[in-house]
Amino acid sequence: MNHSFLQDALIYLAAAIVFVPIAKRLGMGSVLGYLIGGIMVGPFGLGFVGGEGKEIMHFAEFGVVMMLFLIGLELEPVHFWRLRHQILGTGSLQMILTTLIFLAVFLAVGLKWQAALAMGLALSMSSTAIVLQTLREKGLAQTESGKSSFSVLLFQDISVIPILALLPLLSLHVVEAPAGATAAFFETLPGWAQTLALLFDVALIVLGGRFLLVPFLRFIARVHLREMFTASALFIVMATAYIVSLVGLSPALGTFLAGVVLANSEYRHELESDIEPFKGILLGLFFISVGAAINFNLMIDRPLLIVALVAGVVLLKALVLFVTGRFIRLSFDQNLLFSLGLSQVGEFAFVLFAFIYQLRILSGEWTDMMMGVTALSMTLTPILLLVNERLIAPRFGTRRVEEKEADAVNVRHPVIIAGFGDFGSVVGRFLKANGIECTVLDNDSDRVDLLRKMGFKVFYGDATRLDILKAAGAEEAGILVAAIGSPDLNSDLIAKARKYFPHLTIMGRAEGRLEAYDLIDRDIRNIYRESLDTSVRLGIDVLVKLGFRRYSATRAGQNFIRYDEEALWKLAPHRHDEDTYIYNAREQIHLQEQLLTADRDVNPAVNDHAWDSELSTDEFREAEAKDDTRA
Amino acid sequence: MNRILILFAHPRFEKSRVNRALLEQVGTMPEVTLHDLYEEYPDFNIHVKREQEILSMHDIIVWQHPFYMYGAPALLKQWTDLVLEYGWAHGEGGEFLKDKLVFNCLTTGGSRAVYAADGACRFSLGEFLLPFQQSACLCRMIYLPPFAVQGTYLLTQDDLAHHAEDYRNLLNLLVKGEFDMDDMRCFPLLNDWLHRKREARQL
């Protein structure tokens, strides 16, 4: 193996390992981590990598190709169809408005309409990686703004494909082949013929996928070798990319289509999990190479221009998003989150700008500048969201505390419920039905508004923040019900509550066994697994439907819960030691099996012989026989 | 030193004046274990093994409960059905309760006078409690007459204090072993035995 390859690989991987965790720690997300890593090792940082950055970028573009394959796989037609109004409506509105506005702006600046349009399209992209991760981390994925953001992002991801396909039509020159593709007769065709060829290719992939790939995967799956499947998955992606680039098409387009075709097949999930790690690392490499390729000379030469561009782009995007949000009737708070959250220019813009540059639609200078703007706008997102959370939303949006509460006598409730989703709301309603008033903490502003109308005392905000917990009366309350949907946030909340409000009795919701172990590690005694009671209740009903007497089935269910909880506590100390855990788990399963079999038996002789007269029958018979002989 | 286990069964303890007064006096005695069954098993799913272990650790068992429809609340019946099982409490090898003392401590709304052949209830308390007596016998335990607080609706605060004091004295005597079983069994109620003992001391 060649020495310089090893050295480069080492530098890139080291950059990823060092900067991504730091970026995540600072709440910036992994994409920014890769970019910063790239900047640091690039010619404007420490200079470990130089001119060859562009070559690596070509190589790493394959990560983008894989990402598109995965996006294709995600597009399960049924799911897409269910969300079609949201995705098409919201998504297209945002995209068209943003593109038109940027088109107008850049025309006014004096660019050619082709360049202005291409830039408008690229700038209308937002960052799927950053936004989805942020939403998940903040536990906002299920709110209205979260769902709308998802729709917009999905629409953008999909529209990359036609944009990549249509960009050559904007090109004024005969171009060199993009992204490592071999030059083909394709480029020599006029624009309209290229489009026709493209349509023909699409049909080829769709039919080939359906009638060749699925039977092929079925054959491979029957071999039962995991690595064969991984190899096939990679093979499919690469083969598709190769074939479409032979006719001069974008490999991204081809693999996306292959993904869509396979989304319907039964192998969708296997393909996803096989490609995922390759995609992750190649995409990481791609971002590092983008970071390394950013031309800082431009920024240093014209800092004001860059600052103005970044501010202008983010502001315009946010404005368009805000209008879109109004159009789909998001409440003010949700709309702020939606418009600020999506206001950055996304990672696809890097791909598009690179392609636009190759097609000579845009000059190198502009491309470099826009790449820089894109990267800077991404770094801005976490900061904007923080400003919104701390400064804008509390002042103009849903009040953290209801105003009229402030001057009323401050009634402190004994119970605080953090998280009022499906789980917490049942707890709250039950307590309220029994005359116990609760203080509710929630971070979905729509829900908060509704709850206030219904007479709940609600605090709006991130329950893991100390000041909000304090405002909600954590110092005076007796019980904290930690019922946040995201296990990470819930665990975070519990850790903070234990540390800063040690007097609180914490009743913790746990998603499953593993989350329950996590709570045990945090020294929580009252743990409620979401699935346990409900699943057992379902199981009891199944037994009844199968002909069991309802009381016997109910007892079996109650016993099962008891043994399961005992097993949970017994196994908790062992789970850090993998081997004993597995051993003990097996032992516990064996125990449960024994108990269940015993309970299920019509004559449960081993463990449950309540009301079972069969055991003493013999003795009675003997006694009666004695009486008879005596008589 | 005898150790006493009170198996307390009251589905509405929060509304019970008399049982609260009784337990306030004895619940804190170091030799007495108060086992609140409705608090332990709200789902009626009694943990048989655990109950048997608790029983093994005590010498004297008290079934303390209100008298509903001439019997104990449902959970205490559930308890006897489940815990006093064949092979442990009775039958072959069922010797784990042998020679332990057991009695009912109960509260009735009706006065003592109505629990008689010529009264409204037509039978005495002892007769109503026959299933408990025979269950104890089956388990080879020694069954003592009940301790009863009757006519609870008409009790004054002083009466209540007096009964609670009696109960405390009774358990104290039992803990110290200052009693004669045959003597006790001559009385229909343990209250009468205590009464006689007090009179004897005063004479």
Side-chain angles (χ1 to χ4, degrees):
Chain A
M1 201 169 276
N2 146 354
H3 177 70
S4 77
F5 170 78
L6 265 183
Q7 194 184 333
D8 282 349
L10 215 59
I11 290 168
Y12 277 78
L13 289 175
I17 292 167
V18 171
F19 289 99
V20 175
I22 292 177
K24 283 211 77 162
R25 254 293 140 80
L26 297 176
M28 296 197 290
S30 55
V31 174
L32 279 179
Y34 285 121
L35 283 175
I36 295 170
I39 295 170
M40 293 312 284
V41 299
F44 297 95
L46 301 169
F48 289 147
V49 291
E52 81 278 9
K54 295 254 183 208
E55 274 165 46
I56 295 208
M57 197 150 139
H58 287 325
F59 172 65
E61 261 173 25
F62 211 72
V64 178
V65 169
M66 285 181 164
M67 180 162 164
L68 283 164
F69 179 68
L70 288 176
I71 291 172
L73 272 180
E74 300 258 333
L75 275 186
E76 211 182 346
V78 182
H79 182 65
F80 183 75
W81 190 246
R82 204 172 339 118
L83 293 173
R84 65 192 182 279
H85 296 301
Q86 223 177 353
I87 296 171
L88 292 181
T90 322
S92 59
L93 188 64
Q94 181 266 344
M95 189 132 206
I96 292 168
L97 274 181
T98 317
T99 309
L100 285 180
I101 288 177
F102 282 120
L103 174 66
V105 169
F106 288 118
L107 279 179
V109 174
L111 286 176
K112 285 208 183 75
W113 72 267
Q114 289 94 337
L117 179 60
M119 279 170 76
L121 286 168
L123 290 176
S124 66
M125 296 287 154
S126 303
S127 168
T128 309
I130 289 181
V131 177
L132 286 191
Q133 194 189 333
T134 316
L135 288 175
R136 213 172 303 132
E137 277 170 8
K138 290 188 183 287
L140 292 169
Q142 287 311 312
T143 62
E144 276 307 309
S145 62
K147 287 180 197 161
S148 306
S149 304
F150 183 77
S151 306
V152 169
L153 290 168
L154 192 57
F155 183 83
Q156 292 176 353
D157 289 352
I158 299 167
S159 50
V160 168
I161 310 299
I163 292 174
L164 282 176
L166 292 173
L167 277 178
L169 296 182
L170 296 176
S171 170
L172 303 172
H173 309 267
V174 175
V175 293
E176 56 185 280
T182 20
F185 77 101
F186 187 75
E187 278 86 27
T188 61
L189 295 175
W192 62 268
Q194 288 191 9
T195 308
L196 254 185
L198 187 142
L199 289 176
F200 174 74
D201 244 38
V202 167
L204 199 72
I205 291 170
V206 170
L207 293 176
R210 182 138 298 174
F211 297 108
L212 277 178
L213 286 184
V214 175
F216 165 69
L217 283 174
R218 206 166 286 150
F219 169 74
I220 292 293
R222 236 177 272 141
V223 182
H224 290 300
L225 275 176
R226 178 114 189 106
E227 68 270 26
M228 275 301 102
F229 210 89
T230 311
S232 313
L234 281 176
F235 179 80
I236 289 173
V237 175
M238 290 184 175
T240 321
Y242 181 71
I243 290 168
V244 292
S245 60
L246 267 190
V247 285
L249 260 183
S250 137
L253 171 65
T255 51
F256 172 80
L257 277 175
V260 173
V261 172
L262 290 172
N264 255 343
S265 81
E266 62 267 45
Y267 302 108
R268 181 174 147 228
H269 294 292
E270 273 104 326
L271 286 170
E272 244 169 13
S273 58
D274 280 344
I275 296 287
E276 187 71 47
F278 294 103
K279 176 212 89 174
I281 212 153
L282 281 173
L283 213 55
L285 264 184
F286 175 73
F287 289 135
I288 293 179
S289 50
V290 167
I294 290 177
N295 189 344
F296 277 90
N297 283 338
L298 271 174
M299 300 198 193
I300 296 161
D301 290 349
R302 281 179 281 176
L304 279 180
L305 177 65
I306 296 292
V307 169
L309 267 176
V310 173
V313 165
V314 170
L315 192 72
L316 278 177
K317 285 199 70 163
L319 271 177
V320 171
L321 283 159
F322 196 81
V323 171
T324 313
R326 285 305 281 269
F327 194 74
I328 55 173
R329 296 204 194 89
L330 286 179
S331 63
F332 184 74
D333 278 74
Q334 297 286 314
N335 203 358
L336 271 181
L337 272 173
F338 172 74
S339 41
L340 291 178
L342 291 171
S343 65
Q344 75 295 97
V345 185
E347 56 270 19
F348 273 127
F350 290 128
V351 184
L352 291 176
F353 278 126
F355 193 46
I356 290 168
Y357 172 69
Q358 279 164 12
L359 291 168
R360 302 281 159 77
I361 299 172
L362 207 59
S363 70
E365 192 190 1
W366 268 101
T367 310
D368 280 347
M369 210 144 63
M370 292 324 287
M371 290 249 191
V373 167
T374 304
L376 283 176
S377 77
M378 285 164 106
T379 49
L380 222 58
T381 306
I383 301 166
L384 277 178
L385 285 177
L386 200 70
V387 169
N388 175 48
E389 190 183 319
R390 302 278 160 124
L391 298 176
I392 305 177
R395 215 157 289 173
F396 303 104
T398 304
R399 309 266 167 207
R400 186 175 295 159
V401 188
E402 246 173 322
E403 266 170 60
K404 60 174 188 284
E405 297 257 345
D407 45 10
V409 185
N410 224 340
V411 192
R412 295 297 189 182
H413 294 149
V415 182
I416 299 175
I417 299 180
F420 214 68
D422 286 339
F423 192 96
S425 67
V426 176
V427 179
R429 280 172 45 221
F430 175 75
L431 292 178
K432 198 175 171 123
N434 284 283
I436 304 296
E437 294 293 329
C438 305
T439 301
V440 174
L441 271 171
D442 202 279
N443 67 346
D444 181 343
S445 63
D446 284 351
R447 195 150 60 204
V448 168
D449 290 340
L450 175 77
L451 286 172
R452 282 184 182 159
K453 265 183 231 148
M454 306 298 286
F456 281 89
K457 182 178 176 186
V458 189
F459 283 82
Y460 170 57
D462 179 356
T464 61
R465 271 174 52 193
L466 270 187
D467 53 334
I468 292 190
L469 275 173
K470 212 172 268 180
E475 278 165 336
E476 293 89 357
I479 292 173
L480 170 69
V481 179
I484 302 177
S486 143
D488 289 343
L489 282 184
N490 213 32
S491 176
D492 192 20
L493 164 70
I494 286 170
K496 286 213 175 97
R498 269 207 80 80
K499 189 166 171 204
Y500 296 103
F501 310 103
H503 69 282
L504 277 177
T505 303
I506 300 171
M507 325 274 282
R509 160 191 186 173
E511 197 172 29
R513 208 164 250 276
L514 284 178
E515 289 77 15
Y517 285 144
D518 185 46
L519 296 194
I520 290 176
D521 282 353
R522 295 193 186 285
D523 206 17
I524 303 296
R525 309 298 299 177
N526 307 295
I527 298 168
Y528 303 87
R529 275 176 285 161
E530 271 169 42
S531 49
L532 181 63
D533 300 56
T534 319
S535 333
V536 170
R537 260 182 53 210
L538 188 150
I540 291 171
D541 286 351
V542 170
L543 289 184
V544 171
K545 294 238 185 295
L546 290 175
F548 280 60
R549 293 274 303 160
R550 189 169 278 282
Y551 186 66
S552 302
T554 304
R555 261 176 70 79
Q558 288 169 336
N559 284 336
F560 184 81
I561 291 180
R562 182 183 291 154
Y563 294 122
D564 201 57
E565 303 241 277
E566 278 170 9
L568 181 78
W569 286 94
K570 232 177 256 174
L571 287 179
H574 299 298
R575 73 162 179 133
H576 298 295
D577 176 1
E578 201 84 324
D579 287 343
T580 46
Y581 172 66
I582 289 165
Y583 171 72
N584 277 318
R586 211 167 279 154
E587 191 182 48
Q588 289 296 337
I589 284 166
H590 182 65
L591 176 73
Q592 276 178 4
E593 196 181 78
Q594 232 181 0
L595 291 163
L596 279 178
T597 325
D599 275 358
R600 194 203 53 206
D601 275 345
V602 190
N603 301 314
V606 186
N607 287 294
D608 187 7
H609 29 96
W611 299 287
D612 176 19
S613 56
E614 207 141 279
L615 281 170
S616 45
T617 307
D618 292 344
E619 197 168 294
F620 279 119
R621 217 169 271 150
E622 275 168 36
E624 261 169 40
K626 245 181 250 167
D627 284 351
D628 285 348
T629 48
R630 227 177 284 149
Chain B
M1 280 295 181
N2 288 315
R3 276 179 311 170
I4 299 182
L5 172 65
I6 298 178
L7 291 165
F8 177 61
H10 200 311
R12 264 291 196 202
F13 185 41
E14 64 269 37
K15 301 254 182 202
S16 162
R17 190 167 66 108
V18 183
N19 277 292
R20 185 168 299 279
L22 292 182
L23 290 178
E24 259 167 23
Q25 285 291 317
V26 302
T28 52
M29 289 168 64
E31 302 84 2
V32 173
T33 309
L34 175 60
H35 196 45
D36 188 343
L37 291 178
Y38 273 95
E39 197 65 17
E40 293 288 328
Y41 303 114
D43 55 1
F44 271 54
N45 194 31
I46 287 166
H47 199 324
V48 176
K49 260 239 140 51
R50 180 165 161 241
E51 288 302 303
Q52 291 173 344
E53 277 162 16
I54 296 173
L55 279 174
S56 302
M57 292 189 291
H58 295 84
D59 312 296
I60 299 171
I61 318 295
V62 186
W63 286 312
Q64 182 176 340
H65 56 90
F67 211 48
Y68 291 146
M69 280 295 174
Y70 316 106
L75 183 55
L76 188 56
K77 172 66 173 147
Q78 177 96 339
W79 183 93
T80 48
D81 291 354
L82 288 172
V83 180
L84 305 182
E85 56 180 357
Y86 176 85
W88 188 81
H90 60 91
E92 210 179 306
E95 305 204 321
F96 289 87
L97 294 176
K98 203 175 162 207
D99 295 334
K100 286 187 196 294
L101 265 61
V102 62
F103 66 93
N104 295 72
C105 163
L106 47 91
T107 55
T108 69
S111 67
R112 185 162 183 182
V114 298
Y115 284 89
D118 54 353
C121 296
R122 297 173 52 229
F123 300 96
S124 71
L125 265 190
E127 285 170 313
F128 282 119
L129 292 173
L130 278 176
F132 283 102
Q133 185 174 351
Q134 176 52 25
S135 299
C137 171
L138 178 71
C139 302
R140 280 161 273 192
M141 298 166 86
I142 298 158
Y143 187 73
L144 300 176
F147 176 87
V149 180
Q150 300 190 278
T152 50
Y153 302 121
L154 303 170
L155 288 181
T156 65
Q157 218 46 36
D158 284 349
D159 295 337
L160 210 55
H162 169 75
H163 284 298
E165 186 61 33
D166 271 1
Y167 193 38
R168 184 186 172 80
N169 286 337
L170 172 65
L171 295 196
N172 253 325
L173 291 173
L174 291 174
V175 164
K176 288 183 195 144
E178 293 171 10
F179 59 93
D180 174 7
M181 267 179 302
D182 295 329
D183 186 27
M184 283 168 125
R185 285 204 270 195
C186 295
F187 296 90
L189 298 179
L190 287 180
N191 310 56
D192 301 338
W193 175 72
L194 278 172
H195 205 64
R196 170 66 63 80
K197 239 181 141 73
R198 199 180 308 127
E199 277 174 358
R201 214 180 300 142
Q202 277 167 0
L203 278 174

